[in-house]
Amino acid sequence: MTAVAMTACSGAGPDTVSPEADEDFQYVVDKFADLEILRYKVPGFESLSLRQKQLLYHLSEAALMGRDIFFDQNGRYNLAVRRTLEAVYTDYKGDRESPDFKALEIYLKRVWFASGIHHHYALDKFEPGFSPEFLVDCLHQIGSGKLPLRPGQNVDQLLAEIAPVIFDASVMPKRSVQSGDGDLILASSNNYYGGGISQKEVEDFYARMKAADNDTIHPISYGLNSRLVKENGRITEKVWKVGGLYSAAIEKIVEQLRLTLPFAENDAQRAIIEKLIAYYETGDLKTFDAYSILWVEDTTSEVDFVNGFIETYGDPLGMKASWESTVNFINKEATKRTKIISDNAQWFEDHSPVDKRFKKERVKGVSAKVITVAMLGGDCYPATPIGINLPNADWIRRDHGSKSVTIENITEAYDKAAQGNGFNEEFVWSDKERDAMKRYGFLTDNLHTDLHECLGHGSGKLLENTDPNALKAYSSTLEEARADLFGLYYLADPKLVELGLLPDAEAYESEYYKYVMNGLMTQLVRIELGKDVEEAHMRNRQLIAKWVYEQGKADNVIELRKREGKTYVVVNDYPKLRALFGKLLAEVQRIKSEGDFEAGKNLVEGYGVKVDPELHAEVLERYAHLNLAPYKGFVNPVMREVKNEKGEVTDIVLDYTEGYVEQMLRYSRDYSFLPTYND
Ligand code: ZN
């Protein structure tokens, strides 16, 4: 599971603040359930060369071609449910203002957002607000012509197949079950494993594969690009490739990748894209590694992308990767910041509060940049990360380094959309903290992401005999904690002011305040009353905040203070808080380096999971009054080719006016290539 632990992470920013609002750009597009849909700008696109724009255009088309893959990976009925409800949404002739229809609309919007019937973050199945009888009426009214029927299937048979999937809470209840004592594979309803295959069978299958592999120095990412199924009693991989599973969509991706080749910025980039095509055509994971090495070593191209089966968060065993894509170009001005950080990577490693035995003598291959995304697809859409660090294979990171990015036009959109939403007025202790957040928040947020991605994940080392899988189910949370703590510790270092990354010695305080407030209180807005914290990044934030709160009690470092019946976080001593972050960083690094499972478990279970029900209820109540949504995602701009009368492309233009529903329906019309059932 180290691939999961070492990998990209997504922080969401429902609570950032910064300078003036942008009056002529509509950041907020739609709002429903617990979701808010935003728009992002692509600053600098117009001034790229036509060639770069054409490269971005075809990469962007490739980013959209795989949309159906991710739906199907998340559950075998997801495309059937989506297509059925889209038919209803488009063709229903009854009362579109009725409560049932409105509820169906919200349900469909949620299915689009989550690429399936389970919540994108909590992973629980959605509860539909409309009745089974209503769906029956709708489908009969629409008739068989527009519905995604199997060959020979009638409307009632379709209903019999998908109604339990939508309405019966006990059918496919959770997309991915990540912890517990039961069989995680059988309990998970994602489509990474065929029906009836047990966790033991999966583990045995891959243990045999690993044992048979002679190259233990450069192991492939076993199981990364396939579904594991049992057919006639035999366990076998169905590989996602041209000619294999998901071929119809992958062929379209490859077609667009080929169209990029004439516009590649240089030979290295052309070789990267050709290698990716070869991988999609063969499904060969050694080719994928070769591609990843070419990709990580290209640090000069201005246009860049991620396209493939990359992240393994969705598989409880951390092997199978979801399909995703981002298309981007460098933000040169902001990259000066990350360049300073990566140029000083060794200094940061040498001066961290971690025991010398756990430090890297030589930090290598940290390449960091700030990027502007121009298109999001698959597992990066509509919910998207704000920072990415790839590739995931440990040996490639060790031998060739990693590429770390901060996606600043996304953080900027979060930031702008949150301005004046009342959140900080409700939860922040006083004007002093609020003003500091306004003044420094955008800068210190981005800087924390830079430090987390570019230095945090890459810092430290395992002792020689430590099993990289020693921390098991706790590894993701502890890895995120390690990276966050590294960033937090250094935010307060005079070195950052000296390097010109922060304007003064107080700037870090607003990020400290925000981090602790979020971890102790406000991130609870994402959790239903009575439930524990489950997601790794959230566990990590609570773990850190609670630990420093408890450990600082004797010195009154942080208080939970009441005013007019409301609870607030008050930070009394920032330098001491920094020392506590440093102390915890040293401990988490020790746990990782030594593979101390018991200590790791105690930290996570002791601080990261349980919620004070009284405080939770209060936070939810206060949040409800603000009428905000705790999760956010994005619509993409529409990218169009402009042609002259001879049919030559003369420009690529962006249009920011498309709404959420229009975009989803358009994608389903223009970028849907897979059969409804992919068995
Ligand atoms: Zn991370």
Side-chain angles (χ1 to χ4, degrees), residues 7-9 452-453 457 480 483 537:
T7 194
C9 33
H452 172 119
E453 296 290 355
H457 281 307
E480 292 311 323
H537 293 83

Side-chain angles (χ1 to χ4, degrees), residues 127-193:
E127 270 178 54
F130 56 100
S131 68
E133 295 73 28
F134 178 70
L135 186 64
V136 172
D137 287 347
C138 288
L139 296 206
H140 282 288
Q141 190 212 85
I142 283 156
S144 54
K146 306 232 160 143
L147 294 170
L149 301 173
R150 292 177 188 270
Q153 196 179 39
N154 65 30
V155 174
D156 288 319
Q157 287 162 332
L158 170 69
L159 275 162
E161 192 160 14
I162 65 167
V165 174
I166 297 174
F167 295 104
D168 185 340
S170 69
V171 174
M172 307 182 93
K174 194 143 191 173
R175 188 165 104 189
S176 179
V177 176
Q178 306 262 1
S179 56
D181 301 325
D183 186 312
L184 301 178
I185 299 300
L186 289 173
S188 298
S189 41
N190 62 42
N191 207 4
Y192 292 121
Y193 300 93

Side-chain angles (χ1 to χ4, degrees), residues 112-352:
W112 281 328
F113 191 96
S115 300
I117 58 172
H118 301 95
H119 194 276
H120 73 291
Y121 211 76
L123 308 177
D124 298 320
K125 196 160 93 169
F126 297 133
E127 270 178 54
F130 56 100
S131 68
E133 295 73 28
F134 178 70
L135 186 64
V136 172
D137 287 347
C138 288
L139 296 206
H140 282 288
Q141 190 212 85
I142 283 156
S144 54
K146 306 232 160 143
L147 294 170
L149 301 173
R150 292 177 188 270
Q153 196 179 39
N154 65 30
V155 174
D156 288 319
Q157 287 162 332
L158 170 69
L159 275 162
E161 192 160 14
I162 65 167
V165 174
I166 297 174
F167 295 104
D168 185 340
S170 69
V171 174
M172 307 182 93
K174 194 143 191 173
R175 188 165 104 189
S176 179
V177 176
Q178 306 262 1
S179 56
D181 301 325
D183 186 312
L184 301 178
I185 299 300
L186 289 173
S188 298
S189 41
N190 62 42
N191 207 4
Y192 292 121
Y193 300 93
I197 196 163
S198 72
Q199 185 174 343
K200 174 89 172 46
E201 287 172 314
V202 175
E203 286 167 349
D204 289 349
F205 179 89
Y206 285 107
R208 277 197 301 277
M209 189 183 273
K210 281 179 204 178
D213 191 346
N214 294 322
D215 191 352
T216 52
I217 313 285
H218 313 103
I220 58 165
S221 301
Y222 303 100
L224 188 76
N225 64 337
S226 64
R227 183 190 298 161
L228 197 66
V229 298
K230 192 160 34 170
E231 282 179 343
N232 308 319
R234 209 175 128 258
I235 295 175
T236 172
E237 284 186 329
K238 284 189 165 179
V239 178
W240 306 323
K241 61 171 185 170
V242 172
L245 202 51
Y246 302 143
S247 186
I250 296 173
E251 286 165 43
K252 292 285 180 183
I253 297 167
V254 167
E255 190 181 306
Q256 288 299 324
L257 290 175
R258 278 193 209 292
L259 290 172
T260 67
L261 293 173
F263 308 111
E265 292 177 278
N266 49 58
D267 290 344
Q269 192 175 54
R270 192 172 302 110
I272 293 167
I273 297 169
E274 282 170 344
K275 194 63 88 179
L276 179 58
I277 292 171
Y279 161 62
Y280 273 135
E281 286 179 331
T282 59
D284 177 19
L285 287 170
K286 284 232 183 282
T287 306
F288 178 64
D289 285 344
Y291 155 77
S292 298
I293 292 166
L294 292 176
W295 179 83
V296 78
E297 290 186 340
D298 174 24
T299 52
T300 54
S301 300
E302 292 185 8
V303 170
D304 205 350
F305 65 96
V306 174
N307 185 310
F309 302 102
I310 307 291
E311 300 292 0
T312 56
Y313 296 112
D315 172 10
L317 301 183
M319 288 188 291
K320 308 285 174 194
S322 58
W323 188 86
E324 69 172 39
S325 184
T326 64
V327 178
N328 64 76
F329 56 94
I330 191 167
N331 175 339
K332 285 183 196 160
E333 188 52 38
T335 294
K336 289 176 187 162
R337 186 179 78 217
T338 54
K339 170 116 185 17
I340 292 172
I341 293 169
S342 54
D343 285 351
N344 288 279
Q346 191 68 52
W347 185 92
F348 287 104
E349 182 76 0
D350 294 345
H351 291 79
S352 89

Side-chain angles (χ1 to χ4, degrees), residues 374-429:
M375 198 60 69
L376 304 165
D379 202 0
C380 292
Y381 169 86
T384 190
I386 55 172
I388 302 178
N389 187 326
L390 290 173
N392 284 331
D394 280 321
W395 73 264
I396 300 180
R397 300 171 72 87
R398 182 191 69 215
D399 295 351
H400 302 273
S402 68
K403 221 190 258 186
S404 161
V405 302
T406 304
I407 310 177
E408 200 154 295
N409 62 325
I410 293 294
T411 58
E412 185 174 7
Y414 276 130
D415 192 57
K416 292 279 169 64
Q419 283 173 20
N421 68 7
F423 187 91
N424 287 350
E425 285 64 29
E426 177 60 41
F427 289 106
V428 174
W429 172 245

